[in-house]
Amino acid sequence: MGVFRIRSALSNPMMETTASSPGKIILVGEHAVVYGQPALAVPVNEVTATATVRSSTVGSGLIIQAINLEQELTLAQSASEGLARAARLTLEHLGAAEPDVLITINSTIPPASGLGSGAAVSAAIIRSLATYLGFPLTNSETSALVFEVEKLYHGTPSGIDNTVVCYNRPVYFVRGSPPEIFHPKHSFSIVIGDTGVPSPTRDTVKAVRTKWESNPSKCDAIFSEIGAITQLARSAIVNGDILELGVLLNRNQELLELLGVSSQELHNLITSALDMGAFGAKLSGGGGGGNMIAIGPEDRIEAIRRSLLQAGAARVISSIIGSQG
Ligand code: PMV
């Protein structure tokens, strides 16, 4: 199979391919998802990672240029380098030899802030390279490869990031089970406020692990309640009850504070959104910095957005959930 694929790719090379992946945001369930509880996450199409593969000079090998990171890598780059690993895993998966190509990456997704930047960049590289070689991958294949790269970034990733950015749909996710796409009854707005404080997910996942090891029964009870909130949040979205969803977000935030993954900056943004009429607000992703989210009545969304900027948010993104299907 591998040999056939290489021959086919060489006999019909495409000169240029491009693939994009959206960012993602977790609505509820982060951290608990690592311990087997469900989480909900949605794509954020207002930010994207794009990879373009172009034929290069014979003998150049595969070169990756990450424009935002001002980084240039070869395929032979150390195994700990995620971008090179994404390309290498794709070639291994296809049984293809290293092609002479230049892969250029552009991303508007802020890194290390809970928006799934690493997974989106990996997905864009994997899809564009596989398509260039003449073998476009399914969502499921791409997601499995991105998951392998995510292990470098996250240590013990749950798999939620790769699932959401590869399927580009709202997802109900339980570790080790096939992801379930879910459909909001009505589309609704979400405001994402960035504290501007970078916080690698790996660090907060490790901190929660340490807490869990020192007090497993307390942490397990928190994880269980977060799991129950996630189930209720899915029902609220499917039934179009955004007010109820807000109540659930607020309780989820209290539990994340008990886990020790909130911060003063997150708290300030959350408070300002609630003061401005949000139905609910919480941190999103690993915490410790990064992003928070707020939902509220449509006629308050712009005011919430402005209040977050006034409260010190480095960036605010408004996104419509449900518009992608
Ligand atoms: O910070 P993010 O958006 O990459 O999300 C991390 C979510 C965690 O549950 C904390 C970790 C994981 O791998 O699911």
Side-chain angles (χ1 to χ4, degrees), residues 30-47:
E30 53 273 271
H31 287 291
V33 74
V34 176
Y35 298 81
Q37 298 293 338
L40 305 184
V42 291
V44 178
N45 280 277
E46 286 74 10
V47 286

Side-chain angles (χ1 to χ4, degrees), residues 87-129:
R88 203 175 310 117
L89 284 170
T90 309
L91 298 177
E92 281 169 22
H93 180 74
L94 296 175
E98 180 178 352
D100 296 321
V101 291
L102 176 66
I103 305 182
T104 327
I105 298 157
N106 270 294
S107 178
T108 56
I109 309 175
S113 63
L115 279 161
S117 153
V121 169
S122 298
I125 292 174
I126 291 165
R127 278 196 205 280
S128 59
L129 181 57

Side-chain angles (χ1 to χ4, degrees), residues 6-77:
I6 292 169
R7 249 203 325 263
S8 297
L10 291 177
S11 66
N12 186 23
M14 298 176 71
M15 299 312 285
E16 181 174 316
T17 52
T18 294
S20 291
S21 280
K24 77 96 196 26
I25 199 90
I26 295 181
L27 291 183
V28 284
E30 53 273 271
H31 287 291
V33 74
V34 176
Y35 298 81
Q37 298 293 338
L40 305 184
V42 291
V44 178
N45 280 277
E46 286 74 10
V47 286
T48 50
T50 302
T52 301
V53 183
R54 291 184 184 88
S55 304
S56 187
T57 47
V58 174
S60 66
L62 186 151
I63 295 170
I64 301 175
Q65 274 180 350
I67 307 291
N68 310 84
L69 303 174
E70 295 182 356
Q71 220 182 4
E72 185 166 300
L73 306 159
T74 64
L75 192 63
Q77 215 84 24

Side-chain angles (χ1 to χ4, degrees), residues 24 26 29-34 113-116 154 156-161 201 204-205 284-287:
K24 77 96 196 26
I26 295 181
E30 53 273 271
H31 287 291
V33 74
V34 176
S113 63
L115 279 161
H154 288 204
T156 55
S158 63
I160 195 163
D161 283 22
T201 297
T204 51
V205 168
S284 174

